[in-house]
């Protein structure tokens, strides 16, 4: 598997996901503004990957700083964190990673500038490595829900490309595949940004896991035909009550799954939990550019000047979620209690 | 409003719907094979428009025939009907129109070749004109379900472009608009062929009816937010029990509407009823080329060689349908009985 994001010679290198699957191009970010732009423009996307990118963005901001003393560096870091924090409002992992880096910096205010730079750089690299081991643990915890012969529907890309590697929802699928279960995947294409068609289909094919691409509006048809045994998706933010924000369309899939008595699982790291929010109603939903809907690969597919809505996420209420799979275990039933237990 | 399809100087002229909304190009079909190809390649689409095109296809086949006597012309017509009948399997209007033309031909077997040609030509022109008046009657019958201030979700294009003019589902919306009701429409883009983005958005904007374009997977989000008051869609075939085949994704919309207690209406002419089928299970579902999913406007959006499913239609069970609106009246409740009453 290719590296989604990597620290390399004091640069941040990532595969440009806006160009997949037709081009495999790596971009090199040599300062924090380039990292922030890569997050905003979705060269890198997926909640855990955004978290890793944010940590590396703060680290590269520190490393490239010309601050003459630690106090000046800390002041600069405040600005850097603000810029990176303004890129995408829904994924909590972004804010989690920024907070980790900021706290680490202030905890080490007594170090010299060059020492502090090293501490931050090493922590970013560690967050990246941890993400992969977290996903492997999550995969093991989730694979129990997948039986030999199952067909799994997934939405968007909660895969290796959405993380530092291995994936969350696709990590669960990978783990089942590695256990020798004969499974197949149906991937929703996930309009408007087509993460399913471009990324999920690509990375599963790359790993030799059987995958069929469908348009988002076919999920109900295949559920009614009895072709889908379970649904696994990722999440960008999970409230204390288990309500989960994820890519637009996830909620529709959850409603369809309920109507057909198909289990619906959410796989996400503990860092995705935002226990400060009592319900999903409080999760901010990012509204993205209308061009994503009206143009595909630069071509207009709608009349000029048409009014368009483009909410990038929706919230699936906990009542539709069979279980939430994390690296620390599985929450079911009373999410408020069980998520809190997992988080502590 | 532009003419969707027209008989002009013994040619069949239609707007090429594969090029909308960026180009408004009319194609002239001078023989029945060109008409059949236009139906197959979806230059013209929408169940009622396909019916009109089929009638005109049979008529132009007759008019351009070099048969020396009526028996030879009738034999030729059998072949012509077979070719046109093989274009698209789901829309019953295709077979309805072919049957109308064939019966008319055999009923007039005593006429001369040139007389029979005229009879068929006039009937095709009449079917086209009838379609518009049918849609206006349907619109009146359906507009009662739309209140001032309503926001209506529609899927695919059951509009003027799907008919000879005015539309079925969009005819209901047009009628409410003409009655002075302040309404707005949310149009699903309708992947893979994007009839909503390309055609519904275009024709509503053209008529000054407020329309917002959304991707298919946003419908649930806006229903949950309380933005959608009712759903109106068309149909390609309706079984005796009220099960309705329509564009892929319609069933998902119906499930979402049920979950949110939103009325779900189907608007279709009597010709769409296929009372020979006891349930929707018996409606054949057309599987179309995988290219429609993997490519948009000629650009690849998925990895090469990926496995793809592309069912063009799904069946919405009658239990999800609040009412079926036809030109002869509205069926509700016991569809088996009430559709039969309307059809006779």
């Amino acid at each position: 598997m290719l590296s989604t994001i990597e620290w390399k010679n004091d640069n941040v290198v990532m595969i440009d996901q806006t160009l997949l699957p037709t081009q495999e191009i790596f971009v090199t970010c040599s300062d924090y503004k380039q990292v922030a732009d890569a997050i905003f423009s979705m060269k890198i996307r997926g909640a855990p990957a955004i978290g890793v990118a944010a940590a590396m963005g703060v680290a590269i901001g520190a490393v490239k700083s010309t601050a003459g003393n630690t106090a000046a560096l800390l002041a600069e870091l405040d600005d850097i964190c603000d810029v990176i924090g303004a890129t995408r409002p829904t994924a909590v992992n972004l804010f989690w990673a920024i907070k980790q880096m900021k706290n680490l910096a202030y905890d080490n205010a007594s170090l010299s500038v060059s020492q502090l730079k090293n501490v931050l750089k090493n922590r970013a690299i560690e967050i990246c490595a941890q993400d992969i081991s977290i996903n492997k643990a999550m995969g093991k915890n989730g694979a129990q829900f997948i039986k030999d012969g199952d067909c799994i529907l997934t939405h968007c890309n909660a895969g290796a490309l959405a993380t530092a590697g291995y994936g969350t929802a696709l990590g669960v699928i990978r783990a089942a595949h590695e256990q020798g279960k004969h499974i197949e995947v149906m991937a929703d294409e996930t309009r408007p940004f087509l993460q399913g068609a471009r990324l999920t289909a690509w990375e599963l094919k790359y790993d030799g896991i059987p995958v069929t691409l469908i348009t988002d509006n076919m999920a109900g048809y295949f559920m009614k035909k009895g072709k889908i045994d379970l649904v696994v998706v990722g999440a960008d933010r999970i409230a204390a009550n288990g309500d989960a924000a994820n890519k637009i369309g996830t909620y529709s899939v959850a409603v369809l799954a309920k109507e057909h008595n198909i289990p619906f699982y959410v796989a996400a790291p503990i860092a995705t939990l935002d226990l400060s929010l009592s319900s999903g109603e409080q999760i901010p939903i990012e509204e993205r550019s209308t061009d994503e809907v009206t143009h595909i690969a630069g071509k207009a597919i709608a009349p000029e000047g048409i009014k368009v809505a483009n909410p990038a996420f929706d919230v699936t209420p906990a009542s539709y979620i069979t279980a939430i799979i994390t690296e620390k275990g599985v929450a079911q039933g009373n999410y408020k209690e069980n998520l809190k237990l997992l988080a502590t």
Side-chain angles (χ1 to χ4, degrees), chain A residues 181-203:
Chain A
K181 293 172 185 165
H182 300 86
I183 55 171
E184 54 176 319
V185 177
M186 279 213 167
D188 278 351
E189 66 173 5
T190 318
R191 281 282 289 146
F193 214 64
L194 296 166
Q195 293 92 335
R198 296 189 299 105
L199 309 178
T200 296
W202 182 79
E203 70 165 89

Side-chain angles (χ1 to χ4, degrees), chain A residues 186-328:
Chain A
M186 279 213 167
D188 278 351
E189 66 173 5
T190 318
R191 281 282 289 146
F193 214 64
L194 296 166
Q195 293 92 335
R198 296 189 299 105
L199 309 178
T200 296
W202 182 79
E203 70 165 89
L204 290 178
K205 189 165 179 270
Y206 191 97
D207 275 8
I209 300 174
V211 56
T212 301
L213 174 65
I214 60 172
T215 61
D216 299 300
N217 58 18
M218 291 176 191
Y221 173 83
F222 285 109
M223 286 184 184
K224 184 154 162 271
K225 277 179 95 85
K227 296 262 184 201
I228 292 165
D229 299 292
L230 69 153
V231 178
V232 188
V233 297
D236 289 73
R237 195 185 298 212
I238 299 173
N241 69 344
D243 292 353
N246 191 45
K247 184 54 50 199
I248 187 73
T250 303
Y251 169 63
S252 293
V253 173
V255 170
L256 288 165
K258 181 191 160 199
E259 183 76 4
H260 297 88
N261 295 309
I262 294 168
F264 180 93
Y265 299 100
V266 171
I270 293 293
T272 306
L273 300 179
D274 185 353
L275 302 185
S276 74
L277 305 183
S278 61
S279 94
E281 298 291 313
Q282 296 157 264
I283 300 176
I285 299 296
E286 175 183 4
E287 184 81 22
R288 292 186 62 86
S289 156
T290 58
D291 285 2
E292 289 184 359
V293 174
T294 56
H295 289 70
I296 297 180
K299 285 244 192 180
I301 55 153
E304 223 182 293
I306 196 78
K307 196 178 158 199
V308 170
N310 189 15
F313 299 91
D314 57 27
V315 173
T316 299
S319 57
Y320 292 88
I321 301 171
T322 310
I324 297 174
I325 301 157
T326 77
E327 72 274 27
K328 287 192 173 178

Side-chain angles (χ1 to χ4, degrees), chain A residues 30-41:
Chain A
S30 54
D31 63 40
Y32 78 91
K33 283 184 183 162
Q34 289 173 0
V35 174
D37 178 68
I39 297 171
F40 178 74
S41 63

Side-chain angles (χ1 to χ4, degrees), chain A residues 142-149 175-183:
Chain A
Q144 59 175 307
F145 298 114
I146 300 180
K147 293 187 309 295
D148 193 61
H177 180 71
E178 285 167 7
Q179 290 169 358
K181 293 172 185 165
H182 300 86
I183 55 171

